[in-house]
Amino acid sequence: MIDLTNKDLMPNLCLIDGKWCEADQGDRVNVTNPATGEILASVPMMGKAETERAVLAAHSAGKAWRQLTGKSRAEILRRWFELLLANQDDLAKILSAEQGKPIKEAKGEIAYAASFVEWFAEEAKRVYGDVIPEVMPGTRLTVRKEPIGVCAAITPWNFPAAMITRKAGPALAAGCTIIIKPATQTPLTAIALAVLSEQAGVPAGVLQIVNGRSADIGDTLCAHPLVRKLSFTGSTEVGRLLMRQCSDNIKKVSLELGGNAPFIVFDDANLDKAVEGALIAKYRNNGQTCVCANRILVQDGIYDRFAAKLADAVDRMVVADGSNPRADLGPLIDTKAYASVSGMIDEALALGAKQVTKREIHTDPSQRFMNPVVLSGATKEMRVYRDEIFGPVAPLFRFYSIEEAIELANDTEFGLASYLYTSSINTYIQVSEALEYGMVGVNTGLISNEVAPFGGIKSSGIGREGSKYGIEDYLEIKYVCLGGLE
Ligand code: SIN
């Protein structure tokens, strides 16, 4: 059980057309705590029919919502932001219980989630158009930005709150309506956010939650001609499939997909700061973020000192149930994730990598909690070089020159986040400009915030979330040519 002050946050139902409802056939699915396996609640398991209804409701609700001024929508979003913060402790408890992340990190995620709502509430008032100097006498050329219409959001389990508000915030600010399909592992946070959106005054049908089978809901959202945009955060494999499905009716898509972030430490880096940055970039959310450092590339001259210092810090991280206030790392999301990460560690060790951390890796027989690991001597032949690890493993790769670091860093199909540590302005300029990534952190391991454009290139996705660019994905450009003037 989750001990909440505001019990209304857990109706354990979905929200369609302003009504909290069960699935048509009464199907339900359990939500469990990944730390204990305890059943926290059950929620409706919906499919095509319910999704179809949500699309029609969103279409109908959109007619009035788009007519409101940006200022009126901003006021509603502002109230939602305030309610998110007022309920931060309860929301964090729900999030931590169903996702596993430590309570202090969960509280941080709620603040991060709320920051997108606040930011886009402000942006709602700034959807500017253009006046274009005309090329023919007697004409006036103007550009208006208009809401794209019904949007769908398919969101992941690793950030059950922030990945919803990063999509719903700009959608609602722009005058769009949104149907959210949360990850089946973490629907309780999504439902709680929707409860607060309703209290904030978001009208019926403008924000809806449909939980259930990914295939049924995803297929319906992608195929439906009234859904004009899909925003997805998740794996590149699923992103490709959704993009194909959206091509039939030429939907706009935003995709925030997998990463394989290089974290480059040059000889002249500040060692303490580089270790501090690596702890955040690698072990945030137990290594389960798309921007987590995946390959730690370390220059020969600093390699041994960096490895020892990082391993020492990692050995001191507290691995515990997320509800424990001392926890730095919680459980992995499920035993499948545990098996996948273990498989990568085993393969790297078999191919010659060495464990630098002292703690035994596997001490939990239930295979939920994994002790964090630093591996030295990692090579290109290992899966930790190619694949997104999504777990608490830091493989260290040795390099000798700036050119080699750039080549290794770019040697991947992915292009989301990258990091580099140096005290040289020349290295910073040369490397940050050469990195084929949407985001570069220089002398920092934490780059995400609401005011900066989050997104990737290559197989890491399309579009940007957050920042002044984030709302553009929810807008269409309409050009009006007024002719026949005196
Ligand atoms: C993600 O892992 O998809 C999001 C991470 C972030 O927003 O920092």
Side-chain angles (χ1 to χ4, degrees):
M1 280 306 292
I2 311 174
D3 181 25
L4 301 179
T5 308
N6 181 358
K7 307 256 183 297
D8 294 347
L9 293 175
M10 282 185 64
N12 302 337
L13 293 167
C14 289
L15 180 62
I16 299 182
D17 201 8
K19 292 173 202 69
W20 289 98
C21 45
E22 294 283 358
D24 289 356
Q25 307 304 323
D27 295 354
R28 294 199 135 243
V29 62
N30 288 335
V31 183
T32 54
N33 182 334
T36 58
E38 175 205 1
I39 296 174
L40 298 167
S42 76
V43 291
M45 190 69 175
M46 296 181 156
K48 283 188 190 307
E50 297 89 338
T51 311
E52 181 91 34
R53 262 205 316 284
V55 173
L56 297 180
H59 181 62
S60 164
K63 291 176 191 149
W65 182 247
R66 65 189 290 144
Q67 293 304 330
L68 291 182
T69 59
K71 187 172 160 68
S72 301
R73 289 195 296 268
E75 280 159 11
I76 295 173
L77 284 171
R78 179 88 209 168
R79 278 201 294 275
W80 191 23
F81 159 71
E82 283 159 2
L83 285 167
L84 292 172
L85 287 190
N87 287 273
Q88 185 176 11
D89 287 345
D90 277 349
L91 291 170
K93 280 188 198 164
I94 297 173
L95 196 161
S96 171
E98 67 174 348
Q99 200 275 341
K101 68 177 67 175
I103 193 75
K104 57 190 173 199
E105 214 173 323
K107 271 185 88 167
E109 183 182 337
I110 300 302
Y112 182 42
S115 74
F116 290 110
V117 180
E118 181 187 40
W119 171 262
F120 285 109
E122 290 155 0
E123 288 298 281
K125 295 178 271 187
R126 299 189 194 113
V127 178
Y128 299 121
D130 272 315
V131 175
I132 301 176
E134 47 284 350
V135 287
M136 284 174 299
T139 61
R140 291 290 183 274
L141 316 184
T142 53
V143 170
R144 273 172 62 77
K145 303 258 183 88
E146 297 186 347
I148 190 161
V150 178
C151 301
I154 302 184
T155 57
W157 51 261
N158 62 345
F159 286 86
M163 296 306 103
I164 289 182
T165 56
R166 196 152 82 182
K167 299 176 194 311
L172 266 50
C176 298
T177 54
I178 191 160
I179 300 162
I180 299 158
K181 188 240 163 291
T184 33
Q185 295 96 325
T186 56
L188 300 177
T189 307
I191 291 170
L193 298 185
V195 168
L196 296 175
S197 75
E198 221 186 6
Q199 285 177 17
V202 174
V206 170
L207 183 152
Q208 304 178 84
I209 303 282
V210 183
N211 179 66
R213 281 172 289 275
S214 300
D216 289 350
I217 297 175
D219 287 0
T220 310
L221 291 172
C222 292
H224 207 297
L226 287 179
V227 176
R228 293 313 317 150
K229 182 201 163 68
L230 171 79
S231 178
F232 170 70
T233 296
S235 72
T236 296
E237 192 191 344
V238 175
R240 275 197 189 100
L241 173 74
L242 293 171
M243 194 172 172
R244 266 198 294 274
Q245 290 181 327
C246 286
S247 66
D248 277 350
N249 41 47
I250 320 288
K251 276 191 216 328
K252 198 165 177 174
V253 289
S254 299
L255 302 171
E256 201 264 273
L257 308 176
N260 181 358
F263 184 99
I264 314 171
V265 185
F266 289 98
D267 280 347
D268 62 1
N270 176 314
L271 180 62
D272 291 341
K273 294 257 184 272
V275 168
E276 197 183 299
L279 288 177
I280 299 169
K282 175 69 252 184
Y283 296 99
R284 175 172 170 235
N285 198 16
N286 213 357
Q288 303 173 114
T289 88
C290 305
V291 291
C292 270
N294 211 56
R295 294 166 296 152
I296 320 267
L297 311 176
V298 191
Q299 200 162 9
D300 183 52
I302 198 172
Y303 189 98
D304 294 335
R305 281 179 297 136
F306 179 82
K309 205 161 184 126
L310 179 65
D312 183 50
V314 168
D315 270 331
R316 280 186 275 115
M317 294 183 106
V318 177
V319 181
D321 188 317
S323 61
N324 179 338
R326 289 186 55 244
D328 296 313
L329 304 175
L332 286 164
I333 187 70
D334 53 27
T335 50
K336 200 166 143 225
Y338 189 102
S340 156
V341 179
S342 297
M344 288 194 212
I345 299 172
D346 292 347
E347 190 229 36
L349 292 171
L351 290 175
K354 296 274 174 286
Q355 185 182 335
V356 198
T357 32
K358 295 200 179 59
R359 246 189 304 195
E360 228 183 284
I361 305 167
H362 307 289
T363 50
D364 174 17
S366 71
Q367 308 212 326
R368 300 177 197 280
F369 294 90
M370 180 180 283
N371 285 330
V373 195
V374 176
L375 298 174
S376 69
T379 63
K380 276 180 159 190
E381 288 63 46
M382 299 170 183
R383 279 176 50 211
V384 289
Y385 181 79
R386 289 186 309 276
D387 298 346
E388 192 172 30
I389 302 170
F390 242 61
V393 186
L396 309 188
F397 300 79
R398 196 184 290 268
F399 72 88
Y400 296 88
S401 66
I402 294 187
E403 292 69 27
E404 190 189 1
I406 293 170
E407 197 187 314
L408 287 170
N410 288 339
D411 181 26
T412 169
E413 65 167 306
F414 297 106
L416 188 60
S418 55
Y419 306 86
L420 70 108
Y421 273 76
T422 178
S423 54
S424 152
I425 188 96
N426 288 319
T427 307
Y428 144 57
I429 298 283
Q430 184 183 346
V431 179
S432 64
E433 288 180 6
L435 286 171
E436 295 164 0
Y437 287 84
M439 297 175 281
V440 185
V442 182
N443 295 334
T444 177
L446 189 62
I447 52 177
S448 313
N449 57 60
E450 77 280 19
V451 302
F454 187 104
I457 61 171
K458 295 160 74 179
S459 296
S460 287
I462 298 174
R464 292 295 178 272
E465 295 191 314
S467 78
K468 67 172 181 170
Y469 306 102
I471 200 164
E472 297 294 332
D473 273 15
Y474 295 86
L475 294 165
E476 291 286 19
I477 288 175
K478 182 180 279 174
Y479 154 58
V480 179
C481 177
L482 178 64
L485 299 173
E486 295 290 309

